[in-house]
Structure formats: structure tokens, C-alpha cells
Amino acid sequence: MVIALTFIVISLIIAGSAVIKLWLERADRRSEERTEKIDLTNREALDHVLENTPTMSEVKAKLDRDYHAISEHAERIDTLQETVDDMYLSQLRARLFAHPRSRVEHEELLEVAQKYIELGGNGLGHVRAEWLEERYKLRLTKNNWDYTRPLDDKEEKDEN
């Protein structure tokens, strides 16, 4: 009887092992089928699967909203930058038409004139820049840095 009982127990263990093995193989096959359906190694297939998920739809909607908001802000910033550039050019123009009272001020005005021209200033600003440069060269050649005195008789007549 012990032998019969041992035989039955061993048979049950072997049969149970076979059933468990078949169940695990079936589970592996199902897992492989799912993996084949969603091929994680193929980027296009993975992108396609992810594209249709609710989470990705929410993310896309949020990105679209944010993109539109950022675009509107970027347009406003561009407009403000243009305004600031125009104001800076106007400020340079106003400084350009100041009368120098010393050699340092004259040199600073020449730098202002250079910036004004580089930033696209035109018209009378160019004329004033040329005039300042000519006057600077004339003062340099005559070594006359006293801005309370005229450079020559012609300048004296021009001022009167």
C-alpha cells in the first residue's frame, strides 16, 4: 500500500508539473503575441501606439494651447523690441544733435554717430555725423580744443 500511495503521489506531482509547464508556456505565448502586436523595437509602431493613447492626446492638446500662448507672447515681445529699438535710435539722434563743449564730448558724439549709423539711422543724422567728423579733424589739425572760441573766421560768421 505504501508503494501504491508513493506511486500516486509521484504521478500527481508529475501531472501537476506538466499542467504548470503547459500553463506557463501558454502565458509566454500570450506575452509574445502582445509584444508582437506592440513592437517595442520598431519606433514607428511604438509612436503609432502611443499616439492614440488618452494621455498623449491630453499632452498634445496642452502643447497646442501652450504653443499658441507662446506665439502670442513672442509677437508681443517682437513688437516691444521694435519699439525699444526705435526709442533707442531716437535717443541716439537727440544726443547726436547736442553741441560738444569739450574734446571728450566731441569724441563721445562721434561714437554716438557711429552707433546711430550702424543701427540704420539716416537722413539728417548722417549729415550731422559727417559734420561732427569734419569739425573734429579740423580741431585736430589746428589743435584747437577750446570750444568757447571759434575755429576760424568763417565759423565766427556762420554762428552770427
Side-chain angles (χ1 to χ4, degrees), residues 102-113:
S102 69
R103 181 177 184 174
V104 172
E105 284 183 17
H106 203 142
E107 289 169 352
E108 287 175 357
L109 286 176
L110 290 173
E111 289 175 10
V112 167

Side-chain angles (χ1 to χ4, degrees), residues 56-70:
M56 286 305 290
S57 298
E58 291 174 17
V59 168
K60 281 183 184 178
K62 181 170 178 9
L63 287 174
D64 288 341
R65 282 191 311 270
D66 291 347
Y67 176 78
H68 292 300
I70 289 171

Side-chain angles (χ1 to χ4, degrees), residues 42-156:
N42 184 350
R43 180 171 178 126
E44 291 174 2
L46 183 61
D47 286 344
H48 179 69
V49 169
L50 289 175
E51 186 176 302
N52 298 323
T53 62
T55 303
M56 286 305 290
S57 298
E58 291 174 17
V59 168
K60 281 183 184 178
K62 181 170 178 9
L63 287 174
D64 288 341
R65 282 191 311 270
D66 291 347
Y67 176 78
H68 292 300
I70 289 171
S71 296
E72 290 173 7
H73 290 300
E75 289 174 12
R76 289 180 188 159
I77 289 171
D78 290 342
T79 303
L80 288 173
Q81 186 62 46
E82 289 174 11
T83 304
V84 168
D85 291 344
D86 290 343
M87 291 173 68
Y88 184 61
L89 200 58
S90 295
Q91 180 188 14
L92 288 176
R93 187 179 307 113
R95 286 180 60 201
L96 186 60
F97 284 96
H99 293 289
R101 295 187 180 126
S102 69
R103 181 177 184 174
V104 172
E105 284 183 17
H106 203 142
E107 289 169 352
E108 287 175 357
L109 286 176
L110 290 173
E111 289 175 10
V112 167
Q114 184 179 4
K115 282 183 191 176
Y116 179 80
I117 292 169
E118 285 174 1
L119 293 175
N122 54 26
L124 290 177
H126 278 276
V127 174
R128 177 66 176 178
E130 290 171 5
W131 184 85
L132 284 168
E133 191 172 334
E134 288 172 13
R135 289 294 172 194
Y136 186 81
K137 287 177 184 176
L138 190 59
R139 286 193 180 275
L140 189 62
T141 56
K142 292 190 176 211
N143 197 21
N144 180 357
W145 300 108
D146 184 3
Y147 283 80
T148 59
R149 295 183 305 132
L151 279 170
D152 54 19
D153 294 333
K154 181 182 177 194
E155 187 175 285
E156 201 171 280

